[in-house]
Amino acid sequence: MLEILNPLHTTWNTWFITLFCAFLIGLSKSGLKGVAMVAIPVLAFLYGGKASVGIMLPFLIMGDAMALSFYFKSGKIKYILKLIPWAIIGILVAVYVGNLINDQQFKTTIAVAILICLALLIYNEFRKSKVKLTDNKVFSGSLGLMGGFATMMGNAAGPIFNLYLLSMRLPKESYIGTGAWFYIFLNCFKVPFHILSWNTINWQTIQMNVIMFPALFVGALIGKKVVSYIPERTYRYLIFTVILLSAILLFFK
């Protein structure tokens, strides 16, 4: 029985912390965007950087599926089509260089990039004349490349892609639904590389993901309920704050 519940043979402290991370991912995917970023440094500390990416990815896909079940009709796929090719290129580059770069240098670079993008977005939020940043091909292409690279290397692209989605100024439900479509495509695209190239997903990790799915499911239900009570403006500012904290966490991951 213990073998089934704990296929990776971790300590029970590690097991319960991983269960809590699954809960956070459920919260994030159903509306509280950015909360899952807390799980990235925690899982990296528990399992090691590269292994933690493979452990977290199936949780993210499960969360994406839950989010789509809630916001299927609200998603606007047309808004993300031009970003997908750039994100795919970023993923492919990351697969190639995954074992060749210094992890800390990469994480620091991504964190700085997130902070710069966040500063631009906040400036756009408070200026009198709004500028739709996604109309800028350089901006969208750069975010796509950077986000694709970050999502493959550490599942850390949430803040980057959230900046893109936020700049569209979509209603709350459309923002969540559009993000769900985008993330489930990219996360499913990454799976073969984790299995065949990086060997970070195997039967044992998948078994643990399935066992911990109830925690993710509960998190998704709670997240959907909570987000329904948050006003639009407050919701946007909450996301700004979480993105900022997530970027800072990358310095210490």
Side-chain angles (χ1 to χ4, degrees), residues 34 37-38 40-41 104 107-116 118 156 159 239-253:
M37 287 294 292
V38 177
I40 296 175
Q104 189 55 52
K107 287 178 290 189
T108 300
T109 301
I110 292 297
V112 170
I114 292 171
L115 293 175
I116 293 173
L118 181 59
I239 295 173
F240 287 150
T241 303
V242 173
I243 290 174
L244 175 61
L245 294 176
S246 300
I248 293 173
L249 279 175
L250 288 179
F251 285 107
F252 304 101
K253 176 183 170 185

Side-chain angles (χ1 to χ4, degrees), residues 1-162:
M1 182 64 177
L2 294 179
E3 177 74 21
I4 295 175
L5 289 176
N6 192 0
L8 297 182
H9 306 288
T10 65
T11 66
W12 287 105
N13 284 339
T14 296
W15 192 92
F16 280 109
I17 294 172
T18 306
L19 189 73
F20 180 66
C21 289
F23 173 77
L24 291 179
I25 292 170
L27 284 176
S28 175
K29 291 298 184 178
S30 63
L32 296 179
K33 292 292 183 182
V35 175
M37 287 294 292
V38 177
I40 296 175
V42 172
L43 292 177
F45 176 79
L46 294 176
Y47 297 97
K50 196 170 186 179
S52 69
V53 177
I55 290 171
M56 188 172 182
L57 182 57
F59 284 141
L60 294 175
I61 294 174
M62 293 175 184
D64 294 328
M66 288 292 298
L68 278 180
S69 70
F70 295 148
Y71 301 103
F72 180 84
K73 295 182 179 180
S74 300
K76 308 295 182 183
I77 300 178
K78 64 179 181 179
Y79 290 127
I80 58 175
L81 289 178
K82 63 181 177 181
L83 198 65
I84 286 177
W86 294 105
I88 289 176
I89 293 173
I91 290 173
L92 295 177
V93 172
V95 171
Y96 178 73
V97 303
N99 293 321
L100 303 179
I101 67 171
N102 180 288
D103 282 345
Q104 189 55 52
Q105 290 176 339
F106 168 71
K107 287 178 290 189
T108 300
T109 301
I110 292 297
V112 170
I114 292 171
L115 293 175
I116 293 173
C117 291
L118 181 59
L120 290 172
L121 195 61
I122 292 176
Y123 171 73
N124 187 57
E125 177 76 11
F126 290 102
R127 63 180 291 166
K128 293 182 179 180
S129 58
K130 306 296 182 184
V131 177
K132 195 171 183 180
L133 297 175
T134 48
D135 289 337
N136 188 309
K137 293 182 179 180
V138 175
F139 177 82
S140 57
S142 298
L143 281 188
L145 283 171
M146 186 166 55
F149 192 83
T151 191
M152 187 66 201
M153 292 296 292
N155 294 315
I160 298 174
F161 290 136
N162 284 346

Side-chain angles (χ1 to χ4, degrees), residues 220-239:
L221 293 179
I222 293 176
K224 184 177 185 297
K225 192 70 173 177
V226 170
V227 78
S228 66
Y229 291 108
I230 303 176
E232 291 281 352
R233 180 176 291 271
T234 303
Y235 180 75
R236 290 176 64 81
Y237 292 164
L238 174 63
I239 295 173

